[in-house]
């Protein structure tokens, strides 16, 4: 029986060892899988970046993260190991082995546990250090000078943007680590009051507290620089000044130096007290330090309330000046050229003729309804989609013309269910096809856009060399080209045309690449499919926003890419890249803490090949120079002329600058302090609601200029008023790209603002009656964007009126155009008729003279004088018929005869359409 028992124990021991080994193998296998997946992702990212020529960007970022990760791991792991090892040793010195747990007594077991905890904390610290520190560290090491200093500390702006964030990152990282160690030590030494009884425990607590105290002193020493970066003067109050204020100068900066000295003295005091065993005296410096912190806050509150607030402008005046000048510098507002605009009501026929190109490019289509029209009229198949319609300018038949442009992209989510196979989604349906382009100022008789490029293949005013859209704004899945399956190109009648990818910009799926990317894609089918050939390529990350963010995540990108057709017929996307920062001294932020922005980089993505270029627009920008120092191979300084010709000043940046300028145009400090002359964006009626007006592109000729140019502009109104006080514009063409100007209107008389024009449209009896007539007939009346177009010394307002029937498949159509100028307002079937009518209202004598001259030439003047013309008789008859129809319509409505009312309204609409 004993032998069997001993054998049973031996078998148990063997099985125990086997299970341990199995456990070790499983853990090792899991670790290998995790490490392998991470490594695989790094490898495929490198291959992808290398295929685009940006492998050095990848290695720079990865290298910095690895180095910081290692440093963070060593710092956190070593600190944790030392802390736990010291705690264990203190326990071993204080207690007998029999009083302690086996986990603590067993040297090997405790070592392994301490090592395991240290590794876990080290990994956590590594992720924090590399995740938050890599960009700060690289900017600190490679930063460029701004060549401008702040007025208080006389330090270059680069110190606040690059050096200070790095120093704060280091100090707060170490402080967090120190506090973690202190919490662990307090928890360990609270047992049996060890902090009172054990000298080793006291010494460890003293070292940790000293470390924390020195870091607190460091934070206080950095705090004065932070006063230039905020308007917060204490925990409870904000100053009227963004940046250094009176309270900061008098109280907060001296307070910081006092607290830094107190923290150092308190640290020394605590260490001495612990060494001498006088633990109770530790409370004295701690209480003193906390008391000084509270006293500093209360003093700041008292000064702000009783000294600054009663005489705020006088106290803050010198600081307001810095706030004003540095905010203007941060948003590049200093270069804005201000001029006076008379705002006359002086429109004449001769003025129209002098500005014919401006008139010809007057936009009477809007993007939102136009996008619906494109998607119904120019998609042809359910899987095609126009994601957006962009506005740009081109030379068309020698004429400078503003146009709308959209890409016909492929959306595989809209494929029929039976067609959503792996082959179709990954090998066959790989790209969109072609473009649609239309005039901004021309519509058909039905109110639809007049196309300049349309259909499949695209036909029109320019040749498209590569109409295939492999990369675009849609959420495109990764696809494989040059497989044994021909790619669907475009539908042609009852058959589909096929194509083959002719570029070599994809990732070759040969050798190890196929395995690596099959794992990355999670697609076993990709690895085993016999439809892939030696020429097959993977086109990955085809959404252009994801693409640029994957290459350069440290830049910010405009969310409205736009399409450009190059001179050689190739199609590319353009994206505006922004350089943003949060630490520009004295500058007021426009969003959270961001108070510096520049559009120093333009990104071009080829819609066919996916190749990406980061073009330098502002080579002297210090933030851009810093990134160039970090990533010397990322940016391209030579910009092709056909790309430069289509640079657009971004609406987002212009909106930010225009918004800031609404306040920071004021140069008189007292006016600026009181915000007496604040400008704001006007409102307009768009569709059925009042909205804040957005900047808009227009083609116009500036005063003193000989040719029309592409402009981005925005009117201003005074705060809480609706009259127009000024307008801001930025030039987009040639060497004047980015030149910003502001025209101020006279303050002594009213210049109509957009909302005032909208109100006048509503109040015009003829216009409102016609619009209500359409609305009562079941159609939706859509008010388009109201555009204020400066022409020489006057302003002309234009607003399209869309009509959309209640039918689900109906399209919005431009049925009327409203023009307003001075006191006159007209609505006609199209822009030309409205302009003619406006000129008649403005100068009826000139129109009468012209008519008389025409009559005299034709010999009809006498006849016309004797009896009314046939046109007048016809007009009176038609007006009478409309009146009868409208009376019949109202009667049917009042009697509840909806069918009859609908029939009459249809007849009215048909008669109105004939008059166009």
């Amino acid at each position: 029986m004993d032998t069997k028992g001993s054998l049973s124990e031996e078998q148990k021991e063997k099985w125990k060892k086997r299970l341990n080994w199995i456990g070790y193998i499983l853990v090792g296998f899991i670790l290998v899988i995790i490490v392998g997946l991470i490594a695989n992702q790094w490898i495929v990212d490198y291959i992808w970046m290398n295929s685009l020529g940006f492998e050095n960007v990848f290695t720079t970022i990865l290298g910095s993260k690895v180095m910081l990760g290692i440093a963070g791991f060593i710092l956190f792991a070593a600190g944790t190991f030392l802390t736990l090892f010291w705690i264990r040793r203190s326990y071993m010195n204080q207690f007998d082995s029999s009083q302690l747990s086996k986990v603590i007594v067993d040297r090997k077991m405790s070592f392994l546990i301490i090592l395991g905890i240290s590794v876990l904390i080290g990994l956590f610290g590594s992720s924090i250090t590399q995740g938050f520190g890599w960009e700060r560290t690289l900017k600190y090491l490679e930063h460029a000078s701004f060549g401008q200093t702040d007025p208080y500390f006389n330090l270059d702006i680069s110190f606040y943007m690059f050096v200070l964030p790095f120093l704060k990152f280091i100090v707060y990282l170490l402080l967090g680590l120190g506090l973690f160690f202190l919490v662990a030590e307090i928890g360990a030494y609270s047992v049996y009051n060890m902090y009172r009884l054990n000298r080793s425990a006291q010494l460890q607590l003293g070292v940790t507290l000293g470390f924390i105290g020195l870091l607190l002193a460091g934070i206080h020493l950095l705090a004065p620089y932070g006063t230039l970066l905020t308007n917060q003067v204490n925990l409870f109050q904000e100053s009227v000044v963004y940046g250094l204020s009176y309270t900061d100068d008098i109280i907060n900066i001296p307070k910081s130096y006092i607290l830094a000295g107190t923290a150092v003295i308190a640290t020394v005091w605590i260490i001495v007290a612990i060494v001498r065993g006088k633990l109770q005296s530790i409370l004295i410096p701690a209480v003193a330090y906390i008391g000084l912190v509270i006293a500093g806050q209360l003093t700041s509150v008292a000064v702000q309330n009783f000294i600054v607030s009663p005489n705020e402008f006088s106290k803050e005046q010198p600081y307001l000046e810095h706030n004003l000048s540095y905010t203007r510098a941060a948003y590049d507002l200093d270069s804005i050229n201000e001029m006076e605009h008379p705002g006359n009501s002086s429109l004449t026929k001769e003025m129209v003729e002098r500005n014919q190109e401006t008139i010809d490019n007057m936009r009477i289509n809007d993007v939102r309804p136009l996008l619906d029209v494109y998607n119904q009229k120019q998609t042809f198949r359910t899987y095609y989609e126009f994601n957006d319609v962009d506005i740009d300018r081109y030379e068309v038949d020698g004429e400078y013309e503003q146009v709308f442009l959209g890409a016909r992209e492929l959306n595989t989510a809209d494929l029929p269910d039976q067609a959503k196979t792996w082959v179709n989604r990954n090998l066959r349906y790989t790209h969109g096809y072609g473009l649609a382009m239309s005039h901004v100022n021309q519509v058909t008789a039905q109110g639809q856009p007049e196309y300049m490029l349309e259909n499949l293949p695209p036909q029109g005013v320019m040749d498209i060399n590569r109409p295939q859209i492999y990369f675009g704004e849609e959420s495109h899945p990764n696809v494989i080209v040059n497989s044994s399956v021909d790619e669907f190109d475009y539908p042609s009648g009852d058959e589909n045309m096929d194509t083959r990818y002719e570029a070599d910009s994809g990732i070759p799926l040969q050798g190890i690449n196929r395995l690596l990317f099959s794992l990355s894609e999670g697609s076993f089918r990709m690895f085993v499919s016999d439809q892939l050939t030696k020429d097959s390529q993977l086109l990955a990350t085809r959404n252009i926003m994801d693409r640029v963010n994957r290459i350069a995540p440290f830049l910010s990108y405009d969310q409205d890419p736009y399409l450009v057709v190059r001179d050689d017929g190739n199609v590319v996307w353009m994206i505006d890249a922004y350089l943003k920062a949060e630490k520009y001294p004295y500058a007021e932020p426009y969003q959270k803490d961001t108070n510096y922005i520049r559009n120093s980089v333009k990104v071009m993505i080829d819609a066919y090949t996916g190749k990406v270029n980061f073009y330098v627009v502002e080579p002297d920008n210090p933030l851009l120079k810093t990134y160039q120092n970090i990533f010397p191979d990322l940016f391209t300084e030579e910009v092709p002329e056909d790309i430069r010709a289509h640079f657009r000043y971004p609406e987002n940046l212009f909106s930010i600058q225009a918004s800031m300028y609404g306040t920071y145009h004021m140069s008189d400090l007292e006016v600026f302090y009181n915000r007496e002359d604040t400008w704001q964006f006007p409102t307009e009626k768009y569709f059925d609601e009042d909205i804040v007006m957005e900047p808009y592109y227009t083609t116009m000729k500036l005063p003193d200029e000989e040719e029309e140019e592409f402009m981005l502009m925005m009117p201003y109104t005074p705060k809480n008023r609706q009259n127009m006080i000024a307008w801001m514009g930025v030039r987009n063409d040639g060497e004047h790209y980015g030149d910003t100007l502001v025209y101020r209107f006279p303050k002594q008389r009213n210049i109509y603002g957009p909302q005032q024009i909208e109100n006048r449209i509503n109040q015009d009896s003829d216009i409102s009656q016609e619009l209500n007539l359409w609305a009562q007939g079941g159609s939706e009346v859509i008010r388009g964007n109201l555009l204020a177009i400066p022409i020489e010394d006057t302003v002309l307002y234009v607003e399209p009126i869309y009509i959309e029937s209640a039918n689900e498949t109906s399209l919005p159509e431009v049925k009327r155009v409203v023009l307003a100028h001075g006191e006159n307002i007209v609505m006609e079937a199209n822009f030309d008729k409205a302009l003619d009518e406006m000129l008649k209202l403005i100068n009826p004598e000139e129109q009468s003279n012209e008519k008389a001259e025409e009559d005299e030439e034709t010999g009809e003047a006498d006849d016309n004088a004797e009896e009314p013309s046939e046109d007048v008789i016809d007009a009176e008859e038609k007006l009478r018929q409309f009146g009868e129809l409208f009376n019949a319509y109202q009667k049917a409505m009042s009697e509840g005869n909806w069918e009859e009312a609908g029939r009459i309204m249809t007849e009215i609409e048909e008669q109105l359409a004939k008059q166009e």
Side-chain angles (χ1 to χ4, degrees), residues 60-80:
T60 298
I61 295 176
L62 181 61
S64 65
K65 287 184 175 182
V66 169
M67 295 300 293
L68 284 173
I70 293 172
F73 178 83
I74 293 173
L75 178 65
F76 275 71
T80 303

Side-chain angles (χ1 to χ4, degrees), residues 357 360 393-403 437 439 442 451-453 460-463:
E357 206 164 308
D360 289 343
R393 71 287 196 195
Y394 287 84
E395 288 281 343
V396 180
D397 295 330
E399 296 292 330
Y400 185 86
E401 184 165 355
Q402 193 174 326
V403 302
M437 180 187 290
H439 298 278
Q442 297 181 27
Y451 291 104
M452 306 166 70
L453 273 177
V461 297
M462 60 182 67
D463 295 326

Side-chain angles (χ1 to χ4, degrees), residues 223-361:
Y225 304 112
T227 59
L228 274 64
L229 309 175
T230 180
N231 64 339
Q232 194 81 35
V233 293
N234 52 60
L235 289 175
F236 315 102
Q237 293 172 305
E238 293 180 347
S239 168
V240 69
V241 180
Y242 204 92
L244 186 72
S245 65
Y246 179 85
T247 303
D248 290 325
D249 195 0
I250 302 301
I251 301 298
N252 292 338
I253 291 179
K255 176 192 71 176
S256 296
Y257 294 135
I258 293 171
L259 287 174
T262 303
V264 173
I265 294 171
T267 299
V268 175
W269 183 304
I270 290 172
I271 293 174
V272 171
I274 289 176
V275 170
R276 293 182 176 180
K278 299 179 180 180
L279 300 181
Q280 290 182 343
S281 65
I282 291 176
L283 293 176
I284 297 174
V287 171
Y289 174 77
I290 294 172
L292 283 174
V293 170
I294 296 173
Q297 289 290 318
L298 293 177
T299 305
S300 175
V301 171
V303 169
Q304 190 69 22
N305 279 337
F306 302 113
I307 296 178
V308 175
S309 293
N311 195 18
E312 191 169 51
F313 176 69
S314 175
K315 296 298 182 183
E316 302 287 21
Q317 184 172 353
Y319 310 104
L320 279 168
E321 186 173 354
H322 297 148
N323 177 203
L324 179 61
S325 61
Y326 279 78
T327 299
R328 289 173 65 95
Y331 295 97
D332 196 24
L333 306 181
D334 286 327
S335 60
I336 293 176
N337 184 23
E338 279 199 10
M339 291 165 284
E340 298 297 323
H341 193 290
N344 296 328
S345 299
S346 57
L347 187 69
T348 64
K349 182 179 180 181
E350 291 74 22
M351 184 184 292
V352 169
E353 291 173 351
R354 289 196 301 270
N355 296 271
Q356 193 61 50
E357 206 164 308
T358 299
I359 300 298
D360 289 343
N361 283 280

